[in-house]
Amino acid sequence: MVADAIDLAVIGGSGLTSLLDEVETVLVTTPWGAPSGPIQIARIGDREVAFLPRHGVGHHLPPHRVPYRANLWALRALGVTRVLGPCAAGSLRADVHPGDLVVVDQAIDRTWGRADTFFDGPTVNHVSLADPYCPELRSTLLRAATGGPLPVHDGGTVVVIGGPRFATRAESHLHRDQGATVINMTQMPEAALARELGLCYASAALVTDYDAGVDDDATMAPVTQAQVFATFEANVPLLREVLVTALAAVPQERTCGCAEAPGGLTPDFPA
Ligand SMILES: [Zn+2]
């Protein structure tokens, strides 16, 4: 039987399909459909942690098919208030390399056609997303990452594209010129939906590649799916170490404003 309140959760990205041993799994149904898969429950110290593989067990859900609303809703139904959403990302900067961890603090949403809000009417709610990542949870994650096994960048903008294809060279140049640090396919609407439910959300982007490549440098060739999976998989044990350290350090009480972000409004269930 699951404990009354599971406060913490991790939504694992490509290749991160489990977090800890000795898990029990729970199936959660939501008004928004089924989440990506069964939710694994594990214990860190005296706290229980929920883990959900974003792309499903076996990675059968491409980024545009991830049931983002069901995932966040299911975690909240378990009592979760803080969510870490690590992800794979391509680098758009010469000083950010595969194997680096970027604890992002901004996002540009270039996705389209996704079910990206809980407030689909008749209740209307425009939540603030000026700062899409919870400052308190982000700083906890940053402290855990700093001095950890991976090189860390404090802050950065992730541009989120629809995928599943990778970017063209022209798109990659554009994103770089617009100030993005890394490129990914899943941070949105995940971060926005967490905010709509009053959940804290923070993420570390594990760099797996150089996106569309660096012109005139054959050592920085355009990304392939195999490269993303191989680099991510090679670094998963190190990423897991950072996440577990961060989860153990999350304060018991929230002092951020995430809980108040929805303004007391709750979404209407879908018809
Ligand atoms: Zn928060």
Side-chain angles (χ1 to χ4, degrees), residues 81-82 133-138 195 198-201 254-259:
T81 59
R82 269 79 70 92
Y133 297 97
C134 167
E136 185 176 84
L137 190 61
R138 199 189 84 82
R195 181 64 54 81
L199 307 177
C200 298
Y201 185 82
R254 293 201 281 177
T255 58
C256 56
C258 300

Side-chain angles (χ1 to χ4, degrees), residues 2-271:
V2 177
D4 292 342
I6 301 161
D7 182 30
L8 309 173
V10 173
I11 300 177
S14 306
L16 181 61
T17 54
S18 68
L19 187 68
L20 293 161
D21 297 331
E22 298 178 26
V23 295
E24 64 173 311
T25 57
V26 291
L27 285 171
V28 183
T29 56
T30 85
W32 316 92
S36 294
I39 297 176
Q40 304 168 18
I41 311 295
R43 181 170 282 276
I44 295 178
D46 60 353
R47 300 169 84 172
E48 302 219 68
V49 179
F51 177 84
L52 181 57
R54 185 182 288 118
H55 298 279
V57 177
H59 202 280
H60 62 282
L61 295 165
H64 61 292
R65 295 278 183 203
V66 170
Y68 296 97
R69 290 192 296 190
N71 287 353
L72 273 305
W73 193 270
L75 293 176
R76 192 182 76 154
L78 292 174
V80 166
T81 59
R82 269 79 70 92
V83 179
L84 295 176
C87 64
S91 170
L92 297 170
R93 283 197 350 207
D95 62 331
V96 177
H97 307 288
D100 289 4
L101 209 52
V102 181
V103 184
V104 288
D105 62 355
Q106 275 298 327
I108 299 170
D109 188 359
R110 300 279 293 160
T111 67
W112 58 273
R114 297 182 178 184
D116 59 1
T117 181
F118 287 108
F119 291 97
D120 220 10
T123 300
V124 175
N125 192 7
H126 304 282
V127 298
S128 171
L129 206 65
D131 296 301
Y133 297 97
C134 167
E136 185 176 84
L137 190 61
R138 199 189 84 82
S139 69
T140 301
L141 180 56
L142 180 65
R143 276 197 303 277
T146 304
L150 296 166
V152 178
H153 301 266
D154 176 6
T157 297
V158 56
V159 57
V160 190
I161 62 169
R165 68 166 179 84
F166 294 116
T168 67
R169 287 186 196 275
E171 289 165 343
S172 196
H173 281 293
L174 181 69
H175 296 141
R176 188 178 299 120
D177 291 346
Q178 290 179 331
T181 313
V182 289
I183 184 166
N184 157 271
M185 299 178 188
T186 56
Q187 283 291 285
M188 289 290 181
E190 197 167 277
L193 291 169
R195 181 64 54 81
E196 286 190 341
L197 293 183
L199 307 177
C200 298
Y201 185 82
S203 183
L206 176 61
V207 176
T208 54
D209 55 81
Y210 291 108
D211 197 33
V214 175
D215 296 344
D216 305 322
D217 188 340
T219 66
M220 299 181 180
V223 58
T224 64
Q225 176 173 313
Q227 182 187 9
V228 171
F229 287 172
T231 308
F232 202 95
E233 192 175 327
N235 287 285
V236 154
L238 306 178
L239 176 61
R240 195 180 277 129
E241 187 180 322
V242 170
L243 293 170
V244 170
T245 303
L247 289 165
V250 174
Q252 291 284 348
E253 302 295 328
R254 293 201 281 177
T255 58
C256 56
C258 300
E260 290 75 39
L265 296 174
T266 52
D268 304 293
F269 284 1

